Amino acid sequence: MQYSSQAVAKPYFIVAIALFVGQILFGLIIGMQYVIGDFLFPAIPFNVARMVHTNLLIVWLLFGFMGASYYLVPEEAETELHSPKLAWILCIIFTVVGGVTILGYLLVPYATLAEITGNHFLPTMGREFLEQPTMTKIGIVIVALGFLYNIGMTILKGRKTVVNMVLLMGLVGLAVMFLFSFYNPSNLVLDKYYWWWVVHLWVEGVWELILGAILAFILIKVTGVDREIIEKWLYIIIAMTLITGVIGTGHHYYWIGAPEYWQIWGSVFSALEPIPFFMMTVYAFNMVNQRRREHPNKPAVLWALGTAVMAFLGAGVWGFLHTLAPVNYYTHGTQITAAHGHMAFYGAYVMIVLAIISYAMPLLRGRAAANSEKAQVWEMWSFWLMTISIIFITLFLTAAGILQVWLQRVSDTPMSFMQTQDQVMIFYWLRELAGGVFFIGLIVYLISFFIESGDSSATTATVDVK
Amino acid sequence: MLALEKPEQRLAVWAEVLYLLNLLLLPGIAFIILFGLFVKHRRHTSAFVRSHLKQTVMFSIWAGILLLLVSLSMVMLGGFAQVYTWVMLILYFTVVHASFVLIGVLGLSQALAGKIFSWKLSSL
Ligand code: HEM
Ligand code: HEM
Ligand SMILES: [Fe+2]
């Protein structure tokens, strides 16, 4: 750690990991409710638990992005953070707002929550991923503005690197696109149309810039390759992201009542969306191949490479699988979508946050460059357990999805939705099993933080290879 | 990064690019060009070039067998109008195809770095 103000990243990372545990616990609950319908009935209904699962995911990733920014922006800008105090205050506010919101979901019926939080003044609730009470959304905007001010001022007064500028573009974009969550037209077509401006333009637009910037930072640090080379790749990757991803939004406009031409535009442009993810793998592998040093933090390298590969598989391959309009006509809103959602979110965003935590946390905890050998082994075990489990979750959901499409939509004698669910039950059991292994991986991950750093050899500075 | 001054490196990168094109965009056509390249340069003095030419041609042939022949026999044996044929086929094809693409990414990244093809990426 080169600047003492980078230390504020630590509480963000800790909260992120805690919420991650919550997310997975609720994932296991809804996974169980898929197979045992009245599991935890009536205490935790499926719709509530699902909301907790997905909202915790989004919120902990936001904590992760903020922690990553507080860590890497000062180092890139070569100056202290504008205001560490503001960062601390915002961390506490965000944690409290988030915690109270989750408690609200769990403790009162959703309709009551809407009522007591004054949803009727500015109705924004009730839409997937954007279920937060309007007051929470306003809280998120305040936190985001304070955060952007803090990061922006730091970048302004310091060195302006490509990594920082791309990151800042991504973060500003994240905040701006979120404003569309306040627009809630009563026309359902319009509602869906703009809802995707938050959801799609986040994960297939501005978040990809954040991903690219964090990945570039880690690669610069762990490979020692010249910044100029990595920056060139980053430019091309974000350009491809925006060229394909913005009009690619059309892959969500096929069947919502938007004009028909979106079937062409959406298919063509979103079919190109795998390109930036593909380039990310080539570039990450290439940089590791050309590395100038052997960084002692092996898990950080592993997470960085894993991000590139898994993002390509989850977003690129599993995205392409159902993105062409004639295919999506059959697969829309089935388990194929859920399969893709799981691998893409994990591969791109969960993994990049775990990568920066892996790189930064030993330094934040005052170790020279990395954790002890033993702690690293635990962390790498958690990498494989979680990553292989998510691959299996994806494969089982894909199998369920293909069956579902066939029985419910392709067949001459189509089954009803619920009849179909009975037919694919075995895959839901297998998914829950894989989810259990995922949870074990997560526990191993947590334990890795508490392994004593006994030997000092691994924790000393980097070794040059050539 | 993309300044491939040396002709050896250009050859190795082309082999990997053609291998990927064969999988992603121009199946068959890209392979024919790759195979031409292989026949012409298979006795190249540089071990680096030979390793990439050999790897790409070999894996293209394996990809052909595993993706076309095995898939086809799955349909023949399982039956075209059977739901489990399609469950298995789509899963199988997606996983195997993506794996071959990732091997190409590995190879391309090594060709770009001027390294002989190897399964080992780093000291992990
Ligand atoms: C990291 C990037 C990505 C993430 C995190 C992601 C995540 C998701 C999620 C969660 C959904 C479900 C949304 C819902 O609730 O309806 C979804 C839908 C979809 N995604 Fe992605 N995605 C990513 C990239 C891509 C890419 C690159 C493509 C295309 C090549 C793609 C194609 C699609 C399509 C076509 C749908 C709609 C599925 C349907 O009709 O039900 N995604 N994505
Ligand atoms: C890091 C790991 C995980 C991530 C990133 C993740 C992400 C998501 C996302 C984005 C959705 C919404 C999908 C959609 O609407 O298409 C979702 C839903 C769901 N997730 Fe997860 N999840 C993870 C782990 C788990 C685990 C371990 C389980 C359980 C074994 C699980 C079970 C579920 C279930 C049952 C749903 C509801 C699907 C539905 O409503 O049809 N998730 N998850
Ligand atoms: Fe999308």
Side-chain angles (χ1 to χ4, degrees):
Chain A
M1 200 170 69
Q2 295 167 10
Y3 297 90
S4 59
S5 53
Q6 287 175 286
V8 296
K10 198 166 155 185
Y12 281 86
F13 289 153
I14 292 173
V15 176
I17 294 170
L19 299 180
F20 182 24
V21 176
Q23 182 221 333
I24 299 308
L25 280 174
F26 278 86
L28 287 170
I29 292 176
I30 44 183
M32 191 58 96
Q33 290 173 335
Y34 249 80
V35 285
I36 301 178
D38 51 9
F39 179 67
L40 292 184
F41 180 83
I44 309 181
F46 176 84
N47 63 317
V48 171
R50 184 186 197 281
M51 194 159 71
V52 174
H53 176 60
T54 54
N55 287 24
L56 280 175
L57 168 68
I58 306 294
V59 171
W60 86 259
L61 292 178
L62 293 181
F63 267 98
F65 292 164
M66 290 187 191
S69 310
Y70 286 129
Y71 186 83
L72 74 80
V73 165
E75 195 160 316
E76 284 286 301
E78 294 183 332
T79 175
E80 293 287 351
L81 186 66
H82 177 67
S83 166
K85 196 150 137 220
L86 178 60
W88 264 102
I89 294 170
L90 292 175
C91 185
I92 294 167
I93 294 179
F94 199 21
T95 309
V96 171
V97 168
V100 171
T101 303
I102 299 294
L103 283 179
Y105 289 162
L106 289 170
L107 296 179
V108 293
Y110 192 67
T112 316
L113 185 65
E115 211 173 290
I116 56 183
T117 54
N119 189 53
H120 51 282
F121 291 115
L122 177 58
T124 67
M125 292 174 73
R127 295 168 298 161
E128 192 194 359
F129 301 123
L130 306 181
E131 293 96 343
Q132 312 81 22
T134 304
M135 280 158 64
T136 302
K137 289 198 182 82
I138 294 171
I140 294 174
V141 170
I142 291 171
V143 170
L145 285 178
F147 163 73
L148 284 177
Y149 165 77
N150 211 352
I151 292 294
M153 292 303 281
T154 312
I155 291 180
L156 268 182
K157 77 172 166 173
R159 185 173 68 140
K160 284 148 199 82
T161 66
V162 175
V163 169
N164 266 357
M165 297 321 279
V166 171
L167 181 69
L168 187 63
M169 268 171 66
L171 294 168
V172 170
L174 186 157
V176 169
M177 297 330 291
F178 185 67
L179 295 179
F180 284 96
S181 74
F182 289 94
Y183 181 51
N184 187 8
S186 52
N187 177 325
L188 203 59
V189 176
L190 276 181
D191 173 28
K192 278 282 169 193
Y193 190 93
Y194 288 105
W195 180 80
W196 284 113
W197 284 32
V198 188
V199 178
H200 170 98
L201 289 178
W202 263 10
V203 299
E204 289 156 75
V206 290
W207 284 27
E208 253 178 275
L209 308 198
I210 300 172
L211 163 63
I214 300 176
L215 187 61
F217 175 80
I218 299 174
L219 288 174
I220 290 173
K221 295 292 167 183
V222 300
T223 65
V225 171
D226 284 346
R227 170 182 290 280
E228 290 70 31
I229 299 179
I230 290 183
E231 286 172 349
K232 258 187 232 159
W233 276 95
L234 183 57
Y235 271 131
I236 306 176
I237 288 171
I238 66 159
M240 286 314 295
T241 296
L242 296 174
I243 291 169
T244 61
V246 174
I247 300 178
T249 316
H251 67 181
H252 302 294
Y253 291 167
Y254 300 155
W255 331 113
I256 63 168
E260 219 171 278
Y261 54 73
W262 281 116
Q263 292 180 22
I264 309 275
W265 288 95
S267 296
V268 170
F269 277 83
S270 71
L272 301 175
E273 280 182 39
I275 294 174
F277 289 101
F278 177 79
M279 291 177 66
M280 240 181 265
T281 31
V282 177
Y283 134 85
F285 279 27
N286 190 224
M287 293 308 113
V288 171
N289 267 315
Q290 303 198 20
R291 68 191 177 281
R292 300 255 170 83
R293 63 165 86 107
E294 214 57 75
H295 198 277
N297 190 342
K298 287 186 185 171
V301 182
L302 186 61
W303 284 113
L305 289 172
T307 304
V309 170
M310 294 299 293
F312 169 64
L313 291 178
V317 177
W318 256 262
F320 184 81
L321 202 62
H322 63 161
T323 205
L324 300 175
V327 176
N328 191 264
Y329 178 77
Y330 290 102
T331 62
H332 181 55
T334 61
Q335 295 298 329
I336 309 246
T337 308
H340 155 70
H342 278 82
M343 187 139 67
F345 255 115
Y346 176 82
Y349 301 118
V350 170
M351 288 184 91
I352 194 63
V353 169
L354 298 187
I356 186 73
I357 291 179
S358 179
Y359 174 75
M361 208 52 161
L363 303 168
L364 288 168
R365 298 170 83 192
R367 295 173 186 165
N371 289 322
S372 68
E373 200 74 51
K374 204 165 137 209
Q376 293 198 20
V377 170
W378 278 77
E379 191 181 340
M380 291 199 270
W381 265 96
S382 79
F383 170 96
W384 289 110
L385 282 170
M386 289 195 276
T387 304
I388 292 174
S389 312
I390 212 79
I391 291 175
F392 275 98
I393 290 178
T394 306
L395 291 175
F396 293 141
L397 289 179
T398 308
I402 301 167
L403 253 161
Q404 180 187 8
V405 167
W406 184 281
L407 297 174
Q408 199 184 316
R409 297 183 177 175
V410 176
S411 157
D412 293 332
T413 50
M415 286 184 186
S416 74
F417 177 82
M418 287 314 284
Q419 273 177 315
T420 310
Q421 295 302 308
D422 281 339
Q423 300 293 316
V424 302
M425 201 50 81
I426 176 76
F427 293 110
Y428 294 146
W429 276 111
L430 291 168
R431 182 264 303 270
E432 185 68 350
L433 203 70
V437 178
F438 190 101
F439 189 66
I440 294 172
L442 183 54
I443 302 285
V444 171
Y445 179 69
L446 295 180
I447 293 174
S448 78
F449 287 94
F450 297 97
I451 305 276
E452 286 302 313
S453 64
D455 61 31
S456 57
S457 60
T459 64
T460 46
T462 55
V463 193
D464 286 314
V465 267
K466 279 173 234 156
Chain B
M1 161 184 58
L2 295 172
L4 307 173
E5 317 84 19
K6 287 195 251 141
E8 286 98 62
Q9 198 172 2
R10 218 171 318 151
L11 255 174
V13 170
W14 263 114
E16 296 291 348
V17 168
L18 284 166
Y19 168 85
L20 285 164
L21 278 179
N22 184 48
L23 286 169
L24 296 171
L25 211 60
L26 301 167
I29 301 172
F31 178 72
I32 293 170
I33 304 174
L34 171 64
F35 197 75
L37 216 61
F38 171 74
V39 170
K40 193 161 154 213
H41 296 286
R42 87 202 112 115
R43 294 193 211 291
H44 200 284
T45 48
S46 150
F48 162 68
V49 171
R50 287 199 310 271
S51 91
H52 283 279
L53 281 173
K54 195 171 141 211
Q55 176 251 329
T56 49
V57 169
M58 264 200 16
F59 278 101
S60 295
I61 294 171
W62 272 111
I65 295 172
L66 290 179
L67 290 174
L68 295 181
L69 290 188
V70 174
S71 297
L72 211 68
S73 31
M74 280 168 91
V75 175
M76 311 264 273
L77 293 176
F80 185 78
Q82 291 298 315
V83 56
Y84 271 96
T85 303
W86 290 96
V87 172
M88 295 311 295
L89 184 68
I90 294 172
L91 284 177
Y92 169 82
F93 193 91
T94 311
V95 169
V96 175
H97 183 256
S99 308
F100 275 108
V101 172
L102 283 174
I103 293 170
V105 170
L106 180 67
L108 178 59
S109 74
Q110 284 164 343
L112 285 169
K115 288 189 172 168
I116 286 189
F117 177 81
S118 136
W119 287 104
K120 223 167 147 53
L121 177 62
S122 72
S123 58
L124 287 172

